[in-house]
Amino acid sequence: MGLKPFRSLEAAKKLDAWQLSTQEQLDNLTIRQANTQAQLDELSQEMRELTSNVDRVLGRSAILDGVLLELRDSHEQHQRNFEEHQRTTNAASQSLESILLQLIRNNS
């Protein structure tokens, strides 16, 4: 009969040690979970900031695309105007040259 209380005491000590170990593991898991949640919150904030930046960049890109199209159209119009002015200038120059030749011939 003397062994039974000893065994019960031994079993109780083992149970206490197991409960203590289990509680330590739970405490560690709770700390790790809190750290993981903090990291998740930080990543979520960074993701929101990145999404906001992407939205701004895409918005600016759309504006710049519009400006680029306007510049291209404007350049094409200026190119056409330049070519037309060049043709009329060349035609006027040829006309003046012809008039000058006729004047030279008439005065000779």
Side-chain angles (χ1 to χ4, degrees), residues 41-85:
D41 292 345
E42 186 178 330
L43 285 173
S44 294
Q45 179 61 31
E46 289 177 11
M47 190 63 134
R48 283 190 293 276
E49 290 171 6
L50 285 172
T51 300
S52 176
N53 289 342
V54 166
D55 289 343
R56 278 196 308 274
V57 167
L58 290 176
R60 290 176 182 161
S61 176
I63 291 169
L64 290 174
D65 287 346
V67 169
L68 181 62
L69 288 174
E70 287 180 30
L71 287 172
R72 185 177 295 138
D73 290 345
S74 175
H75 170 71
E76 290 172 358
Q77 183 61 45
H78 286 297
Q79 185 66 32
R80 286 190 297 271
N81 290 347
F82 172 77
E83 290 169 359
E84 179 62 27
H85 292 332

Side-chain angles (χ1 to χ4, degrees), residues 7 13-14 19 26 29 33 35 42 46 49-50 52-53 55-56 63 71 84 86 88 90 92-94 101 104-105:
R7 285 185 184 168
K13 286 182 181 181
K14 284 183 181 179
Q19 286 176 332
L26 286 173
L29 285 174
Q33 183 180 18
N35 289 340
E42 186 178 330
E46 289 177 11
E49 290 171 6
L50 285 172
S52 176
N53 289 342
D55 289 343
R56 278 196 308 274
I63 291 169
L71 287 172
E84 179 62 27
Q86 193 173 29
T88 57
N90 287 342
S93 178
Q94 288 174 355
L101 286 174
I104 291 173
R105 286 186 197 137

